[in-house]
Amino acid sequence: MPKLLPKLRVKNDVKVIYVIFGIVLTYFSIYMPDIMDVAGIDDVQISSTVSFGALNGMLFGPFWGCLITLTGFSLYKITAGTLFTMSTFAMFSLIFNSMSSIVAGLVVNREHKAVKVIFFSLICMWYLLDVGRTAYMYPWYHLLILLLFVYFDGSILRKSATSKIYIFISLFFASLLGVLTDHIVGSIGYQILYDLPASAYKSVLLVYPVERTILAFFPAFLVYVLVVVFKDILLSSQDIEQDISDRKSRDLDEYIRNDVLDILKDNEE
């Protein structure tokens, strides 16, 4: 369970159902509409399934989220008969989506040091490419989000457990860092395979941040609603249990005063 959620003991059979549900949800997410006509690159579209990579990481954690993402998307490719006919990049995209789950899950689990190392290392890998040194402004949004994440790290850790605003900020960082991880590693992989000119990357400097922010918002909002509702249910259940306990205590007091004492008096007489 992500650490933003209350820690509960979950039976193994419930865990299995939980994981199967995630795989099924991921499987059918492939039918969601994609973002079409990416500016600067012909015949390229951004799959909305990227959002589910981050979503799985936030809901299931880095390990199970990664496994669920990889399994769900792979099963779809197998049943559709396209797994072994996909392009090399499409095959690697399954791994890119899974990396999104890992990073998002690490943020939610508050493994922030590991997130910073992974994310910064990927940015450095971009600059190791020739095109990376030419299109050096391309990962500007990744650097900005990383710097903001480092800056607000302490505040998120201190307040995310008590403030609903900080819960959403933490979840949004998790989702956005996950989505941007998929983006930067996907860009590196695409460049290695197809050797795009630097102009292709320069043309989307102001476009991809908008696309990725939109893709990151929806999973963050969904998990935020689930977290808030989940917390409210737990608080409500605790209040109900307290009310029941108080009622039982009052009933017992009344029984002792009205019935037991009368019986004792009768016996004394």
Side-chain angles (χ1 to χ4, degrees):
M1 273 285 193
K3 293 183 180 178
L4 281 176
L5 301 177
K7 189 174 182 179
L8 299 174
R9 294 183 179 275
V10 181
K11 295 181 179 179
N12 289 331
D13 54 345
V14 177
K15 288 182 181 179
V16 171
I17 295 173
Y18 193 44
V19 170
I20 292 175
F21 173 76
I23 292 173
V24 172
L25 190 65
T26 304
Y27 178 93
F28 286 103
S29 72
I30 204 77
Y31 294 103
M32 292 178 61
D34 297 329
I35 297 177
M36 309 294 292
D37 301 324
V38 178
I41 308 177
D42 296 331
D43 300 324
V44 173
Q45 63 190 47
I46 304 298
S47 175
S48 55
T49 55
V50 173
S51 295
F52 272 80
L55 179 65
N56 287 337
M58 289 188 286
L59 288 178
F60 302 98
F63 174 76
W64 286 109
C66 172
L67 186 63
I68 288 169
T69 297
L70 186 61
T71 303
F73 291 150
S74 297
L75 284 176
Y76 174 82
K77 299 299 182 182
I78 292 173
T79 56
T82 60
L83 181 64
F84 301 106
T85 59
M86 292 191 301
S87 65
T88 304
F89 179 77
M91 185 73 73
F92 280 116
S93 292
L94 299 174
I95 299 175
F96 303 157
N97 291 151
S98 301
M99 289 186 66
S100 175
S101 299
I102 292 173
V103 171
L106 287 172
V107 176
V108 171
N109 279 355
R110 295 180 178 177
E111 301 290 341
H112 290 185
K113 184 176 181 180
V115 173
K116 295 168 191 174
V117 171
I118 293 172
F119 203 73
F120 184 71
S121 298
L122 291 173
I123 294 173
C124 290
M125 288 177 62
W126 170 257
Y127 286 112
L128 291 176
L129 302 174
D130 292 336
V131 72
R133 292 187 293 273
T134 303
Y136 57 88
M137 285 296 294
Y138 181 63
W140 72 269
Y141 192 56
H142 304 75
L143 286 167
L144 175 63
I145 297 303
L146 178 60
L147 290 174
L148 289 174
F149 180 68
V150 172
Y151 180 78
F152 288 111
D153 192 356
S155 298
I156 294 172
L157 280 172
R158 287 196 303 270
K159 300 179 180 179
S160 61
T162 58
S163 170
K164 290 183 179 180
I165 294 176
Y166 276 82
I167 287 176
F168 180 76
I169 292 174
S170 181
L171 290 172
F172 184 68
F173 267 121
S175 184
L176 188 55
L177 285 166
V179 168
L180 287 175
T181 296
D182 171 88
H183 180 258
I184 189 67
V185 73
S187 297
I188 293 170
Y190 201 88
Q191 178 61 32
I192 292 173
L193 291 173
Y194 301 108
D195 194 22
L196 290 178
S199 59
Y201 298 99
K202 292 178 180 179
S203 66
V204 295
L205 288 179
L206 300 178
V207 176
Y208 82 78
V210 177
E211 295 170 343
R212 296 289 159 168
T213 302
I214 293 172
L215 289 172
F217 175 81
F218 291 106
F221 180 75
L222 177 59
V223 177
Y224 170 76
V225 172
L226 291 174
V227 168
V228 171
V229 170
F230 190 63
K231 287 181 65 178
D232 289 342
I233 290 174
L234 285 180
L235 292 174
S236 298
S237 65
Q238 291 171 0
D239 292 339
I240 292 171
E241 289 177 359
Q242 185 63 40
D243 290 342
I244 293 173
S245 178
D246 293 342
R247 179 59 184 270
K248 287 180 178 179
S249 179
R250 288 196 301 269
D251 290 344
L252 181 60
D253 290 339
E254 291 177 1
Y255 173 72
I256 292 174
R257 287 197 305 267
N258 299 331
D259 297 332
V260 175
L261 290 179
D262 290 340
I263 294 172
L264 290 175
K265 287 179 182 179
D266 292 340
N267 291 331
E268 289 176 358
E269 293 175 355

